[in-house]
Amino acid sequence: MEIKTVLYIILAAIVALGIAVFQYIYKQKAKSNIHLLLAFLRFVGIFGLLLLLVNPKFLRKSYTLEKPNLVILADNSTSITENASDLELFVSELKNAEQVTDIFDIASYKFGATLDVFDSLSFADKNTNINKSLTSLKEIYAREQTIIILLSDGNQTIGEDYSYFKTDQNNTIYAVVLGDTTKYKDISVGPILTNKYAFLKNKFPLETYVSYQGNTAISANLSVKMNDKIVYTQNLNLDSESNFKTIALDVDANTVGIKNLVVEVTKLPNERNVQNNKRSTSIEVIDEKTKIALISDILHPDLGALKKAIESNKQREVQILKSNTANSILDDIDLFVLYQPTSQFKKTIDFVKNKNANSFIVTGLQTDYSFLNDADLGFEIENGYPEQEVFGVLNNGFPKYDISKFDLTDFPPLASDAGPVTFNVTQETLLGTRIKGLDIQQPLLAVTEKNNSKQAILLGENLWKWRMQTFRNTNDFNNFDEFIGKLVRYLTSAKSKSRLNVDYQKVYDGNGNAVITATYFDEAFLFDQNAKVSIRITNTSTDQVKNIPMVLKNGYFEADLSNLIAGSYAFVVSVKNDSKSESGNFVISEFDMENQFVSSDNEKMEKLVQNNGGKLFYPSQINEVLKVLSENNAYVPTEKSTENIVSLIDFKLLLGLIILAFAAEWFIRKYNGLI
């Protein structure tokens, strides 16, 4: 206590004593024992109040007995199912052993892909991440003496290699190996690597591997099936030295739809685990070939150049048609390229306008500009100009997509008799126009957008010369073809602005989480978090229907479908009190990583405990575990002292003494008739 505080206490005692003496002794002529008692009580009360004002601080020591932590970490994955009784019995005996409960504070956790509190075991987790669970416990019990007992088969399916995990210096890890550690003869198929999507009439790659565990030479047959039809077979010869075979092939995508792929290897004699002899996945074959109509009533080399450039992407198909082509043929067209239109194109242009379709208009020396101006296409071209040579000027500020790689070096001029063009809709210029070395600030190639349709207009012919010059410059046609390809991709892309949008995958791995998300906007296109969004799931094989409300997350709604069994499903996402809905289909492939292991991995668990000062046990060694825990002198409760600085005002006894002194003084005065 500081000297200043001591002086204040002495001063408080003097003041309190002075007040008491002045009131009960100094002024009283006849002094009695009652006056002395009252003076004492007044002194105690006033001195106590003054002490509270001074508020001296005292050092208080407290002692606690701290036990080390014993953490039981139990594997809750499906691979433990056969050894569930051993695990539960071991945990029960450990928790009920008095020699353990007297020494340790026991906490229990379970884990699969993540760590969770041990309330009950379901053995339903489809992934195991031992390293993540140990890391989480290391953070929870930082700077505390902790003993971890890991109960697992040691087979980890995701995460970093746990055998290299290192805990804190004051912690120890013991492990109990569950399951059979015997090494059996086994052949297994590895993960299937392929695309999620394939295009119709194309080939898609498929790659996997076959591994063998055993000492003798074996022969097995591998087959690849697509929708139960064998598309590939191979005979495999493996032994202890050559125990790995990579399988790589290209599969034909001949029909549209979701295709189930199964890679299977035949069973070995007396093979114990045959669940890892087969792997499956799915791929969706889609027909995304863009159909483009190149409409012209004249023969011109530009037609061939445009067709070659557009079809350089195999997902595009160009048909060269006449202007009098029937509308029934035009119904399936995604983009209309109108080459040098005349009045004969009236029916075709009316069809394009009524369909609100995207178009690319190329004008030239045989174009009827008066007809185009009367067609109300969003622009007007002055006519009556003579034929002239026009050069393209790249607009590096074009905002719709990147055209910076297009090289116009040494490109010859195009032929044009078009005058200045005026747009009555928003337009963006790709290429400007240069005539006789002068940039005339007029577009040569421009794009417009109106009523959700896109249009491009090129005011010049002889594009074939540009394609030929590209070949002269680079020995290929890529420069020109990519420029036209980007323009076509822009014109064929559509931006849908829907109030209800659903995001999902066509194929979900059976070992992962199947999640479908949705966003819903009100009429002002603001996210509506108060909407009631639900999803209706139908198993297409069994017709079983399940209705699930979608949960609001951070800016979207989500449905977790990870509990669904493998199979094909159709779904409909709908909003309460709104007619809007979105539907789709997906497949959950049949695969459980936890069932791919033949035996327990006691070698990795042995390495883990050696790195962390522990020991490896088996379920039958419960008594050895109890002995190690109870007889190790390092695992004993520790007495800890804590020093706290406490203010005098925290002492309730002093407050009670002050109240008692003033109350007793008042009562004695009244009892004796003193004023």
Side-chain angles (χ1 to χ4, degrees):
M1 190 180 300
E2 296 180 358
I3 297 177
K4 183 171 69 172
T5 304
V6 175
L7 293 176
Y8 279 138
I9 293 174
I10 295 173
L11 180 60
I14 293 172
V15 172
L17 182 61
I19 293 173
V21 169
F22 178 78
Q23 185 172 359
Y24 286 109
I25 298 177
Y26 175 72
K27 294 178 64 178
Q28 300 296 332
K29 295 180 180 180
K31 302 178 181 65
S32 64
N33 291 333
I34 292 175
H35 289 89
L36 293 175
L37 177 59
L38 290 172
F40 174 74
L41 293 174
R42 177 58 62 91
F43 168 78
V44 171
I46 294 175
F47 181 61
L49 289 174
L50 293 175
L51 274 181
L52 291 179
L53 291 175
V54 175
N55 194 22
K57 294 177 174 56
F58 300 91
L59 191 65
R60 174 187 287 177
K61 267 191 178 183
S62 60
Y63 296 91
T64 57
L65 195 64
E66 187 174 280
K67 296 180 180 180
N69 299 303
L70 178 62
V71 177
I72 300 172
L73 184 59
D75 194 335
N76 193 44
S77 62
T78 56
S79 62
I80 305 296
T81 304
E82 295 182 1
N83 305 290
S85 57
D86 290 339
L87 188 152
E88 291 171 342
L89 179 62
F90 194 96
V91 172
S92 177
E93 292 189 17
L94 196 59
K95 285 185 175 181
N96 295 324
E98 291 185 3
Q99 64 266 47
V100 174
T101 56
D102 290 343
I103 300 173
F104 297 96
D105 285 331
I106 300 178
S108 304
Y109 295 88
K110 62 181 178 181
F111 70 93
T114 58
L115 185 70
D116 201 359
V117 176
F118 188 149
D119 46 8
S120 62
L121 293 172
S122 61
F123 304 107
D125 288 347
K126 294 184 178 181
N127 277 308
T128 306
N129 193 336
I130 299 175
N131 186 81
K132 184 177 180 180
S133 301
L134 293 173
T135 302
S136 298
L137 290 178
K138 182 179 179 179
E139 295 174 356
I140 294 172
Y141 294 98
R143 296 182 299 276
E144 296 182 28
Q145 186 180 16
T146 305
I147 293 86
I148 298 174
I149 298 183
L150 171 66
L151 296 101
S152 174
D153 57 7
N155 293 318
Q156 179 173 271
T157 59
I158 57 175
E160 299 177 13
D161 190 344
Y162 68 89
S163 64
Y164 295 98
F165 176 81
K166 184 67 176 176
T167 189
D168 292 335
Q169 188 174 1
N170 58 340
N171 294 348
T172 307
I173 297 178
Y174 294 98
V176 179
V177 182
L178 302 172
D180 194 348
T181 59
T182 306
K183 303 301 181 185
Y184 294 94
K185 183 186 293 185
D186 182 68
I187 190 171
S188 62
V189 178
I192 301 175
L193 303 178
T194 188
N195 302 327
K196 290 185 178 180
Y197 302 97
F199 293 113
L200 183 65
K201 303 302 181 182
N202 283 0
K203 291 180 179 290
F204 62 89
L206 182 149
E207 185 172 332
T208 184
Y209 64 83
V210 175
S211 61
Y212 168 65
Q213 175 183 296
N215 297 321
T216 59
I218 57 99
S219 178
N221 186 62
L222 177 133
S223 63
V224 179
K225 297 180 181 178
M226 184 164 66
N227 284 3
D228 297 326
K229 181 181 178 181
I230 296 177
V231 295
Y232 179 82
T233 59
Q234 181 178 347
N235 188 57
L236 305 175
N237 295 303
L238 303 171
D239 54 37
S240 58
E241 297 295 331
S242 302
N243 57 5
F244 187 90
K245 178 67 176 177
T246 299
I247 310 297
L249 65 146
D250 291 326
V251 183
D252 291 319
N254 294 322
T255 57
V256 175
I258 296 178
K259 308 298 179 183
N260 296 319
L261 297 168
V262 178
V263 179
E264 187 173 6
V265 65
T266 53
K267 177 184 176 182
L268 300 178
N270 302 318
E271 186 176 4
R272 188 182 183 195
N273 182 15
V274 296
Q275 293 190 28
N276 59 5
N277 288 35
K278 180 171 67 173
R279 287 273 186 128
S280 62
T281 188
S282 300
I283 188 171
E284 184 181 14
V285 179
I286 55 180
D287 184 7
E288 280 201 340
K289 183 165 284 189
T290 303
K291 295 182 179 180
I292 299 166
L294 180 51
I295 301 175
S296 175
D297 286 337
I298 63 174
L299 296 177
H300 197 284
D302 282 356
L303 302 180
L306 286 170
K307 180 177 173 65
K308 287 288 187 180
I310 295 171
E311 289 186 341
S312 62
N313 184 323
K314 300 301 182 184
Q315 295 307 308
R316 300 190 185 115
E317 178 184 359
V318 177
Q319 294 177 297
I320 299 179
L321 305 173
K322 295 285 187 179
S323 62
N324 59 358
T325 301
N327 289 351
S328 58
I329 298 176
L330 301 180
D331 278 335
D332 294 332
I333 300 301
D334 300 305
L335 174 65
F336 294 86
V337 181
L338 309 177
Y339 188 79
Q340 302 211 37
T342 63
S343 59
Q344 301 297 320
F345 280 66
K346 185 178 187 310
K347 186 181 72 169
T348 302
I349 289 182
D350 288 342
F351 178 85
V352 171
K353 290 171 64 178
N354 292 333
K355 189 179 179 181
N356 202 28
N358 299 332
S359 61
F360 178 20
I361 299 174
V362 182
T363 69
L365 303 180
Q366 301 185 49
T367 302
D368 186 342
Y369 295 109
S370 297
F371 165 72
L372 281 182
N373 293 338
D374 294 338
D376 189 23
L377 296 174
F379 59 85
E380 185 174 338
I381 304 172
E382 293 185 26
N383 56 14
Y385 283 76
E387 176 185 347
Q388 51 193 344
E389 293 182 338
V390 294
F391 292 84
V393 180
L394 191 66
N395 176 20
N396 292 316
F398 182 69
K400 298 297 184 181
Y401 56 87
D402 183 20
I403 61 172
S404 60
K405 294 183 179 179
F406 184 48
D407 186 6
L408 288 163
T409 302
D410 296 329
F411 271 33
L414 302 181
S416 175
D417 59 353
V421 57
T422 303
F423 291 91
N424 54 29
V425 294
T426 302
Q427 67 89 17
E428 297 288 349
T429 300
L430 276 84
L431 299 177
T433 304
R434 181 182 289 125
I435 299 177
K436 296 180 180 180
L438 179 65
D439 189 346
I440 64 172
Q441 302 299 315
Q442 280 288 314
L444 177 64
L445 174 60
V447 296
T448 65
E449 293 187 19
K450 180 182 179 182
N451 298 329
N452 292 326
S453 68
K454 299 175 182 178
Q455 180 180 260
I457 178 169
L458 174 66
L459 303 174
E461 64 176 78
N462 292 335
L463 280 173
W464 66 273
K465 294 183 179 180
W466 282 13
R467 193 166 190 265
M468 291 301 298
Q469 187 61 45
T470 292
F471 188 83
R472 290 192 188 100
N473 292 345
T474 61
N475 291 324
D476 58 42
F477 300 104
N478 292 342
N479 178 49
F480 179 81
D481 290 354
E482 288 179 3
F483 177 74
I484 296 297
K486 286 183 178 181
L487 176 61
V488 170
R489 183 167 64 244
Y490 164 75
L491 293 173
T492 54
S493 64
K495 291 184 179 179
S496 60
K497 197 173 184 182
S498 174
R499 289 170 53 199
L500 177 62
N501 300 287
V502 179
D503 186 19
Y504 68 101
Q505 298 180 27
K506 292 287 187 179
V507 180
Y508 292 96
D509 187 352
N511 204 41
N513 291 330
V515 174
I516 294 178
T517 60
T519 53
Y520 176 72
F521 303 91
D522 60 19
E523 294 184 2
F525 277 88
L526 298 175
F527 179 73
D528 187 359
Q529 62 180 4
N530 297 318
K532 305 295 183 183
V533 184
S534 61
I535 183 170
R536 187 171 186 263
I537 305 289
T538 304
N539 188 312
T540 57
S541 300
T542 63
D543 293 329
Q544 184 177 3
V545 178
K546 182 180 292 188
N547 291 293
I548 303 172
M550 300 189 75
V551 180
L552 176 64
K553 292 295 183 70
N554 186 21
Y556 61 92
F557 297 90
E558 180 183 274
D560 186 355
L561 311 178
S562 56
N563 291 327
L564 295 178
I565 62 174
S568 299
Y569 294 88
F571 73 88
V572 177
V573 175
S574 58
V575 182
K576 187 177 181 181
N577 300 326
D578 196 326
S579 60
K580 296 189 179 299
S581 64
E582 292 288 337
S583 60
N585 296 273
F586 64 90
V587 171
I588 298 179
S589 60
E590 185 176 0
F591 176 71
D592 187 353
M593 188 65 183
E594 293 291 329
N595 290 326
Q596 305 303 304
F597 301 101
V598 182
S599 55
S600 302
D601 196 340
N602 59 316
E603 295 178 357
K604 279 192 176 181
M605 296 183 75
E606 177 75 38
K607 187 175 181 180
L608 171 68
V609 296
Q610 287 179 355
N611 289 338
N612 294 278
K615 189 177 179 182
L616 194 68
F617 297 97
Y618 295 89
S620 60
Q621 296 178 298
I622 179 64
N623 292 328
E624 286 84 345
V625 174
L626 297 177
K627 184 177 181 181
V628 168
L629 295 175
S630 60
E631 295 183 0
N632 194 324
N633 293 330
Y635 309 146
V636 293
T638 305
E639 185 179 67
K640 289 190 174 182
S641 64
T642 306
E643 293 184 350
N644 294 320
I645 297 177
V646 183
S647 298
L648 186 63
I649 198 171
D650 294 331
F651 286 85
K652 296 179 180 179
L653 182 61
L654 178 60
L655 295 174
L657 183 62
I658 294 171
I659 295 172
L660 180 62
F662 282 123
E665 179 193 1
W666 179 85
F667 181 78
I668 293 172
R669 286 172 60 86
K670 291 295 183 182
Y671 184 80
N672 289 280
L674 299 175
I675 300 174

